[in-house]
Amino acid sequence: MLKAWIFLMLAIVCEVFGVSVMNYSQEGKQIFVYGFMFAMIGVAYYFMSLSIRTISVGVAYAIWEIVGLSLITLIAVFIFGTSLKTQEYIGLALAIVGIVLVNLGEKHEAKDV
Amino acid sequence: MYLLYVVLAALLDIVANLALNKSNGFRNLKWGIVSVLLVWLAFYLLALSLEGMKLAVAYTLWGSIGILGTTLGGWYFFKQKLKPIGWVGIFIIIIAVITLKTA
């Protein structure tokens, strides 16, 4: 189970890197931007496939989506010194609640990695 | 038109996730490759849609459809059941995505 979570976190980190560069795609050098993005997404999906051998695919994908988004928000705070709006605090709080509930609601019949 | 790109990207992403599940950790390589090709196409369409839409709008639509579709797909095709509290969690996560992206 722990292994599955580590794979999921690795997948998320790769995806965050991949998607972050998409913002630069309008500034020329498109081929490099897309190349990097596609490579990262490929690696992310490989890790994801290992993770969902244990975690159900819907739960893993929901967590991947929201943790990725929360990470991007937190990176803005800790690296770029942006301050959060009230709505973003609410969003992060909802993210945590959602993740906890989804985990409580998972039926574990799947085989372990 | 751009809206269509996003919806199509989300649907491709759902199929990619389900194919990924079928690949059993890339042991069934065929499904793994199909999955990565589909997700590449999905991201390409998402990038195209950004020419005509804000990233926030595109991403929330894509994320919401993707999360719901993947969970329903996992339940329908792979019998991956979720307790009611888990479904509540899925919806709260979707609301969290929307809340974060529209801030």
Side-chain angles (χ1 to χ4, degrees):
Chain A
M1 200 65 207
L2 179 66
K3 243 179 169 175
W5 277 93
I6 293 170
F7 286 137
L8 184 56
M9 292 308 135
L10 286 171
I12 292 168
V13 170
C14 292
E15 197 236 3
V16 168
F17 268 120
V19 175
S20 303
V21 297
M22 210 198 284
N23 296 322
Y24 302 101
S25 65
Q26 315 300 347
E27 301 168 11
K29 306 244 187 241
Q30 284 218 352
I31 193 140
F32 294 110
V33 171
Y34 280 117
F36 181 76
M37 184 176 99
F38 280 19
M40 290 314 274
I41 291 165
V43 176
Y45 261 63
Y46 175 67
F47 283 129
M48 179 81 157
S49 78
L50 297 176
S51 160
I52 60 180
R53 296 182 68 220
T54 310
I55 306 174
S56 46
V57 63
V59 168
Y61 187 71
I63 289 173
W64 139 309
E65 196 76 47
I66 194 61
V67 171
L69 203 46
S70 303
L71 273 182
I72 290 170
T73 308
L74 292 176
I75 285 170
V77 174
F78 288 106
I79 297 182
F80 303 111
T82 325
S83 53
L84 290 183
K85 297 178 199 156
T86 314
Q87 194 180 330
E88 285 171 308
Y89 280 114
I90 296 171
L92 289 173
L94 283 172
I96 294 167
V97 175
I99 290 167
V100 170
L101 291 185
V102 153
N103 277 294
L104 287 176
E106 219 197 340
K107 291 189 172 165
H108 288 295
E109 295 157 24
K111 58 194 177 298
D112 217 318
V113 172
Chain B
M1 188 59 199
Y2 292 110
L3 191 68
L4 193 70
Y5 282 152
V6 178
V7 173
L8 203 57
L11 294 178
L12 285 175
D13 202 18
I14 294 168
V15 180
N17 288 339
L18 298 176
L20 195 66
N21 199 50
K22 226 168 154 42
S23 82
N24 188 24
F26 270 71
R27 282 184 189 165
N28 190 333
L29 198 59
K30 186 180 62 187
W31 282 107
I33 290 170
V34 166
S35 171
V36 170
L37 289 177
L38 284 176
V39 83
W40 279 349
L41 188 59
F43 268 85
Y44 178 68
L45 285 178
L46 184 70
L48 283 187
S49 79
L50 295 184
E51 287 166 23
M53 277 176 104
K54 281 188 181 158
L55 178 65
V57 179
Y59 196 99
T60 38
L61 261 175
W62 182 56
S64 309
I65 299 172
I67 291 171
L68 198 57
T70 303
T71 312
L72 287 172
W75 166 72
Y76 187 79
F77 291 107
F78 306 115
K79 309 283 170 268
Q80 294 181 334
K81 294 199 178 80
L82 206 54
K83 294 177 201 158
I85 197 170
W87 283 102
V88 174
I90 291 285
F91 282 104
I92 290 181
I93 286 177
I94 291 173
I95 294 168
V97 169
I98 297 169
T99 308
L100 278 174
K101 268 292 165 185
T102 53

